[in-house]
Amino acid sequence: NAGVMQNPRHLVRRRGQEARLRCSPMKGHSHVYWYRQLPEEGLKFMVYLQKENIIDESGMPKERFSAEFPKEGPSILRIQQVVRGDSAAYFCASVLRGLSNTGELFFGEGSRLTVL
Amino acid sequence: QKEVEQDPGPLSVPEGAIVSLNCTYSNSAFQYFMWYRQYSRKGPELLMYTYSSGNKEDGRFTAQVDKSSKYISLFIRDSQPSDSATYLCAMSGGSYIPTFGRGTSLIVHP
């Protein structure tokens, strides 16, 4: 059973370009979280989605960032007009059942975005 | 004040030592407490979770939660070089969104 798959693993963009990060959850998992990790800050929550629905996006910057989890296909985190401050590792995690507090998040290997 | 405080380290110990990792928190709504391990350039993996106060043991790992002090700990017995990693505490409450500490870097040297 494949784990959470994220791609690309590494992405380099110039300032002003768009970055699209993809996440395929574990088989049977219907909810995903996106977190951003910076060396000095640890993992910061961005958005929590189920298929075709955003449950909580309180951690998403108000501009340039968007996320979706369509009925078919992977979840996508989209960053428009990237700036150097967007350089970070972006992790996706999936859960078997939604709205569970058991902490059983299964993380992918992350996508490392570098903005030149 | 951050919701979850965790000393980033690094914490360097000799092989075989008992390691103590700790987090403090401020949100009294937190009920679920987790410890994740993250190797360099990898995603975090869940080690243990506990609900409310108390102890939980799994092999060489013991998690403790003291809700009255808003303090959680992870103990690693007989530490091994393969335990060298970053350990992240995380906790959640009614929002179902785990809040993570910044992680403690552990180095176990032979």
Side-chain angles (χ1 to χ4, degrees):
Chain A
N1 188 15
V4 177
M5 304 299 292
Q6 288 190 249
N7 67 82
R9 292 292 310 279
H10 301 277
L11 182 64
V12 179
R13 286 288 179 265
R14 297 191 180 279
R15 282 178 294 172
Q17 292 184 320
E18 178 180 288
R20 285 196 180 210
L21 310 177
R22 290 176 290 278
C23 169
S24 296
M26 287 184 70
K27 186 176 181 180
H29 289 195
S30 59
H31 292 66
V32 300
Y33 297 79
W34 283 95
Y35 282 82
R36 175 164 62 179
Q37 188 172 43
L38 290 166
E40 302 81 24
E41 298 180 10
L43 278 167
K44 295 297 184 186
F45 167 75
M46 299 183 75
V47 63
Y48 175 33
L49 311 105
Q50 68 178 133
K51 284 188 182 290
E52 300 185 284
N53 185 33
I54 296 174
I55 299 174
D56 190 314
E57 58 181 347
S58 59
M60 288 276 274
K62 293 290 186 288
E63 298 177 349
R64 303 187 298 108
F65 285 72
S66 62
E68 63 176 3
F69 190 12
K71 185 177 180 180
E72 301 292 337
S75 175
I76 301 213
L77 179 66
R78 181 184 179 202
I79 312 172
Q80 295 178 292
Q81 299 175 316
V82 296
V83 300
R84 287 208 174 122
D86 297 332
S87 296
Y90 292 83
F91 286 94
C92 169
S94 70
V95 293
L96 178 60
R97 290 177 296 276
L99 303 182
S100 167
N101 264 318
T102 62
E104 293 184 279
L105 301 186
F106 294 86
F107 281 86
E109 301 262 282
S111 292
R112 283 160 180 81
L113 172 66
T114 301
V115 180
L116 301 178
Chain B
Q1 181 188 15
K2 290 184 178 179
E3 272 195 306
V4 180
E5 299 275 5
Q6 185 175 12
D7 187 332
L11 177 62
S12 182
V13 301
E15 183 175 355
I18 296 174
V19 175
S20 172
L21 304 165
N22 311 293
C23 288
T24 59
Y25 64 95
S26 58
N27 189 343
S28 56
F30 288 145
Q31 298 273 7
Y32 295 83
F33 305 90
M34 293 76 78
W35 285 96
Y36 285 80
R37 178 175 61 196
Q38 185 176 22
Y39 290 112
S40 180
R41 316 295 284 179
K42 299 290 187 181
E45 55 178 336
L46 181 67
L47 276 178
M48 301 184 72
Y49 89 90
T50 54
Y51 171 68
S52 196
S53 287
N55 294 359
K56 185 173 183 178
E57 187 173 322
D58 184 1
R60 296 185 296 112
F61 299 90
T62 299
Q64 286 186 352
V65 175
D66 182 348
K67 289 191 69 180
S68 63
S69 301
K70 296 190 175 67
Y71 187 89
I72 70 171
S73 300
L74 178 71
F75 297 95
I76 307 174
R77 292 183 297 281
D78 188 25
S79 56
Q80 303 294 310
S82 58
D83 295 327
S84 298
T86 296
Y87 290 80
L88 303 118
C89 62
M91 42 202 81
S92 64
S95 72
Y96 312 105
I97 297 170
T99 298
F100 284 80
R102 60 176 292 183
T104 298
S105 175
L106 172 66
I107 302 167
V108 181
H109 52 86

